[in-house]
Amino acid sequence: MPPNTTASTGQQPGKSGRKKGRRARLLVLVLVLAVVAGVAGGAYWSISTVRASFPQTEGSLTLKGLSGRVEVKRDDYGIPQIYASSDEDLFMAQGYVQAQDRFWEMDVRRHMTSGRLSEMFGKSQVDNDEFLRTLGWDRVAKEEYDKTLSASTKKYLQAYAKGVNAYLDGKEGKDISLEYAALGFTNDYKPAQWTPVDSVSWLKAMAWDLRGNMQDEIDRALMTSRLGPKQIQDLYPQYPYSRNRTIVQSGRYDDVTKTFEQSGSSSAAGSSTGTGTAGTASSSGTSGLQSQLAGLQKVLEDLPTAVGVNGHGIGSNSWVVSGKYTVNGKPLLANDPHLSASLPSVWYQMGLHCRSVSSSCQYDVSGYTFAGMPGVIIGHNQNIAWGMTNSGVDVTDLYLEKLSGDGYQYGDKTVPFNTREETIKVAGGASKKIVIRETQPEKTEDGKTLPGMPLLSDRSSELVKVGRKATVDAAAPDRGDGYAIALRWTALDPGTTMDAVFAMDKAKDWSDFRAAAALFDVPSQNLIYADTEDHIGYTLPGKIPTRAEGYDGSVPAPGWDRKSRWTGYIDEDELPYEYNPSRGYIVTANQAVIDKTRAGYPYTLTTDWGYGARSQRITDLIQSKIDDGGKISTDDMRQMQLDNSSEIAKLLVPKLLKIDISDKDVRHPEAIREAQELLEGWDYTQDADSAAAAYFNAVWRNILKLAFGNKLPKELRVEGQCLWVDPVNTTGPADATEKVRECGQRDTDQAQPDGGDRWFEVVRSLMDDEDSDWWTTPRSGTRPAAANRDELFKRAMIDARWELTAKLGKDMDTWSWGRLHRLFLKNQTLGTEGPGFLQYALNRGPWKLSGGEAAVNASGWNAAGGYGVVWVPSMRMVVNLGNLDKSKWINLTGASGHAYNAHYTDQTDKWAEGELLDWSFSKKAVDGGTSDTLVLEP
């Protein structure tokens, strides 16, 4: 039975071998179904198996290895609060409790991060394992554990592993989860002991999904097959600095800029704009590169995601308001990361409390963590609170490497690859040996060592063939043995992020927090801060590369050019931060960190920020409250998290209402006018029961499809979508004789145009160019052609009317956004395939959701693929620094990973309605909300 992307994502890990493995998977499902249905006397067995895996939450247990008594107190939602008298006991108990609730998830996740999914699920996962072994997450994690992590961090990781293994001791698979019982029908797999490296490896998976602009780098290069530089530039407009505010508006980056201006230094600065330079691989116009990247994209689509959507659509909101603008005079801090919908949720809520904080027991912290990792990732302790959003800084580069014999060209020399052989064990089949090639480590200008780059293209025989046939122009080396794609990524260098987690958990003030953040090297995140002394702040940590002039990381680079290599990393004291800004609040929602156009910051952090639709809306909501003289409450913060306003609707609806539908070329114009009238008086909010929101989003989807989607290369369009197409030509009409039939190749959740705020900006920038060729589309059946903006908008309104008629019916009184915009939660394994009624038993949903793409309430959907929910606010929290017991939180699902446990999805209804749960922190409040207490005895 294949897992989904991980035990936490609800998507399959890959399609490789899907057809070959489907019969075996269905056999397992049928057998499990027989058990669940009680065939052949199986009813008693199934009930006992399900109950056997539920955690013990009351009474007492003896845990060998504890030094003292530990209490685990759970509330009505099964959320655990752990009380201990030493650090080691605290983290050992955390490992035990998380294994109780989520060990199947933890086990699948560690097999994913180490490239060993085939050991559990057979040959269908071999291709995924090959790619993950090539990346080498577990090898880097082991090196990290052995060489870079502190002694105290290792001690905590060991204690956590000891707790997990105490839970596993003496248990068979069926005692751990129902999934193991199902797996046992075709596989004699038995869970192995947990190791500290298993926990560290998860950080690499998290970093992979939050890796920055690698997808944009691929997409831009693929676009060159059908679009020219000007057209690609149209689709990647500049960040609107004058309209959408950056994160940092004062503070350290101004000082850094002054320092560089005074010294006249600019050697570390990369190009700040553009999508390719004379030295880049894209400028050589290689058809081989495009084919290589198309093949790589297919590999990436099949690869398991860890916490996101393989780099597309990943976002988050966080903001903090100082006490001068709050009801209780102390800061309020909100956070809601946007990730793939998963069952169970990727997040795990818990509290870790030392009965008395001292040098031997240093922690009193509560918040969200990941099953399989000790500590708390996002949350608060007794003094400070913090949140995270993805910074999006560019920490990955792809290189086109010129192959030559057994090596690759670097400058005027041929350099041998470093190679290693690995064996992939396959459940029910023969093991497979693979050879992994990497470039040689290199020294940077500042004396640091960059690790070798793995050849991603080695994981596809098709890519190897393409590389051998690659053609390049005179600016690149002769074809020779072909070309390969290699990856440079900061996470392939051992780091200290695990140290950062523990340091943040016990930080007492801004100085402690900044020191902890400096250790948070990968993935680079926007970190916001507040404390009980009424201070607020922001810092950008991370290992962020510097590049030579002319290389900005926006497109694949020529590996043979020495100048294309990274020159070093930005020093920690040269990264932007802000502390107690005079405006009284800080907002981070994946927008640009700094305004280079205003201050000339000397480094290029990325060329692919989010475009600020969410961040500016949050800023406007906060500023409006301040301007009205009101004070912001915890519930005001919650209401801001639920804001459904559509920024693109505000731009387009006034134009759409002016479109004349009475054209003789329009069939049934009265039906189109009826739909158009839904937009009159609409306040642009995307509530689940809104018919106007349903119609507008359908119009928006069709505008994108007609103006852009149908003109993109097949590698970016939805798989199976076949069109007669010709390239867009913004300087004149396209030649109809050039039309060819092309079918899309990308998964629906990954295709373009996805409709996010980059596309808001694309359309905004073209609005005044009413005769742009982007606004043209041919006639289709009875649907009219378009030769300008308003004609294309009219066509989109027509197409949307009939699309929704087909989906929702003729009667518009029954239309609603929630009927289109639905969330399904799938059980991580048994719920992804097989007989429908088994999926019905294990999966949950649908929920009809409000919100939408690039709204603050970011229930994301991909406009190229449909209206279904793709990513969500995976949790929501509001921390009240004036009274921590008045803080609020919610998770997408529940604490439990056991499909029939009461806490499997017991928070989801409230989450969907925008409600938050009480978040007890003090001993008194926790005791007052405790339903079950388990005592762990040494």
Side-chain angles (χ1 to χ4, degrees), residues 679-919:
L679 304 179
E680 295 178 357
W682 179 44
D683 63 359
Y684 312 124
T685 59
Q686 301 169 95
D687 295 332
D689 60 0
S690 170
Y695 180 59
F696 171 76
N697 281 318
V699 173
W700 170 236
R701 179 175 183 245
N702 279 280
I703 287 173
L704 291 171
K705 176 182 176 182
L706 295 169
F708 309 106
N710 290 353
K711 298 160 188 171
L712 294 176
K714 60 183 180 297
E715 292 87 358
L716 275 69
R717 297 203 320 270
V718 173
E719 185 174 10
Q721 180 194 79
C722 300
L723 300 167
W724 289 96
V725 298
D726 50 33
V728 175
N729 184 346
T730 57
T731 61
D735 184 351
T737 62
E738 296 178 357
K739 289 184 182 293
V740 294
R741 190 171 188 268
E742 291 183 348
C743 297
Q745 298 178 352
R746 189 167 286 188
D747 279 0
T748 54
D749 292 350
Q750 302 284 317
Q752 291 292 333
D754 61 21
D757 66 355
R758 172 165 69 88
W759 293 99
F760 291 12
E761 206 60 32
V762 169
V763 170
R764 187 187 299 273
S765 64
L766 291 169
M767 284 292 285
D768 293 336
D769 187 2
E770 298 182 25
D771 294 320
S772 166
D773 274 7
W774 289 112
W775 299 129
T776 63
T777 192
R779 184 180 185 88
S780 177
T782 61
R783 312 285 172 85
N788 57 47
R789 184 197 69 191
D790 287 352
E791 288 180 1
L792 187 134
F793 283 6
K794 178 170 66 176
R795 167 70 181 275
M797 294 171 72
I798 295 168
D799 288 359
R801 173 44 159 130
W802 301 125
E803 180 188 359
L804 294 197
T805 298
K807 292 180 182 295
L808 302 179
K810 294 181 180 179
D811 185 358
M812 291 194 306
D813 289 339
T814 68
W815 287 9
S816 71
W817 176 225
R819 286 183 63 195
L820 289 173
H821 192 54
R822 300 186 298 168
L823 170 66
F824 290 87
L825 294 175
K826 290 191 175 183
N827 177 273
Q828 57 205 20
T829 50
L830 303 182
T832 57
E833 291 191 38
F837 54 98
L838 181 60
Q839 294 188 30
Y840 177 82
L842 298 182
N843 298 339
R844 300 294 182 267
W847 284 268
K848 299 176 181 179
L849 296 189
S850 301
E853 184 63 37
V856 179
N857 184 15
S859 53
W861 54 287
N862 187 306
Y867 304 99
V869 176
V870 177
W871 52 85
V872 294
S874 55
M875 62 81 158
R876 298 186 183 100
M877 75 175 196
V878 180
V879 182
N880 184 326
L881 277 300
N883 184 341
L884 292 169
D885 288 330
K886 297 295 185 182
S887 301
K888 302 285 187 177
W889 63 352
I890 196 78
N891 206 351
L892 172 62
T893 59
S896 180
H898 300 287
Y900 301 103
N901 188 277
H903 304 305
Y904 189 45
T905 56
D906 58 339
Q907 297 184 51
T908 310
D909 285 345
K910 290 182 179 296
W911 171 90
E913 293 298 321
E915 298 180 35
L916 298 175
L917 306 177
D918 291 338
W919 183 356

Side-chain angles (χ1 to χ4, degrees), residues 10-265:
Q11 298 179 13
Q12 299 160 20
K15 299 177 206 170
S16 307
R18 179 178 290 172
K19 293 181 180 178
K20 295 180 181 179
R22 181 163 291 170
R23 282 191 291 274
R25 294 198 295 271
L26 289 178
L27 174 60
V28 174
L29 287 168
V30 170
L31 290 172
V32 173
L33 183 61
V35 172
V36 174
V39 175
Y44 173 77
W45 185 90
S46 66
I47 293 171
S48 65
T49 298
V50 169
R51 289 178 175 171
S53 62
F54 286 2
Q56 179 179 341
T57 60
E58 295 181 295
S60 64
L61 289 169
T62 299
L63 244 59
K64 184 179 179 181
L66 286 177
S67 64
R69 187 170 180 266
V70 177
E71 294 170 296
V72 181
K73 301 185 177 187
R74 293 180 184 257
D75 65 10
D76 290 339
Y77 289 89
I79 299 170
Q81 305 280 345
I82 301 175
Y83 289 84
S85 298
S86 74
D87 291 339
E88 290 92 330
D89 283 356
L90 194 63
F91 294 118
M92 181 178 176
Q94 183 182 17
Y96 184 87
V97 170
Q98 287 192 343
Q100 279 187 306
D101 285 334
R102 301 273 193 98
F103 184 75
W104 170 259
E105 174 190 4
M106 293 163 59
D107 198 17
V108 174
R109 179 180 292 159
R110 67 167 164 177
H111 279 77
M112 186 270 285
T113 58
S114 60
R116 296 187 296 118
L117 287 168
S118 300
E119 293 179 16
M120 295 182 76
F121 306 109
K123 61 183 179 181
S124 66
Q125 300 308 308
V126 169
D127 288 352
N128 283 329
D129 284 347
E130 288 186 15
F131 190 84
L132 291 163
R133 295 284 185 96
T134 300
L135 290 174
W137 292 346
D138 62 328
R139 294 177 65 252
V140 180
K142 187 176 188 311
E143 188 176 356
E144 204 162 283
Y145 180 79
D146 290 340
K147 297 180 180 180
T148 66
L149 296 181
S150 69
S152 61
T153 293
K154 292 180 183 179
K155 181 172 62 176
Y156 300 154
L157 288 166
Q158 291 162 5
Y160 181 90
K162 189 189 300 183
V164 175
N165 293 329
Y167 168 76
L168 294 177
D169 187 35
K171 289 184 174 64
E172 298 180 17
K174 65 182 178 63
D175 301 322
I176 300 173
S177 78
L178 179 64
E179 288 90 342
Y180 286 117
L183 199 63
F185 281 108
T186 58
N187 189 347
D188 60 357
Y189 172 82
K190 292 180 175 57
Q193 294 279 290
W194 192 263
T195 73
V197 174
D198 292 335
S199 295
V200 179
S201 294
W202 171 237
L203 291 171
K204 301 303 173 186
M206 183 174 73
W208 176 255
D209 276 351
L210 302 175
R211 63 192 178 272
N213 77 335
M214 181 172 160
Q215 190 64 60
D216 289 307
E217 194 174 335
I218 292 172
D219 287 357
R220 273 190 290 263
L222 290 173
M223 286 179 184
T224 60
S225 66
R226 298 192 55 232
L227 303 177
K230 171 60 169 63
Q231 295 158 327
I232 295 174
Q233 186 178 7
D234 286 346
L235 302 187
Y236 287 90
Q238 289 294 305
Y239 185 90
Y241 291 104
S242 62
R243 188 175 67 254
N244 294 344
R245 294 184 190 174
T246 58
I247 297 174
V248 173
Q249 298 169 39
S250 63
R252 175 58 183 165
Y253 90 93
D254 284 329
D255 297 337
V256 170
T257 299
K258 291 173 185 175
T259 299
F260 272 80
E261 287 173 347
Q262 290 166 3
S263 67
S265 172

Side-chain angles (χ1 to χ4, degrees), residues 661 663 665-674 798 801-802:
I661 304 299
D663 194 306
D665 200 23
V666 178
R667 299 186 63 189
H668 306 292
E670 68 285 350
I672 313 303
R673 284 198 300 273
E674 185 184 18
I798 295 168
R801 173 44 159 130
W802 301 125

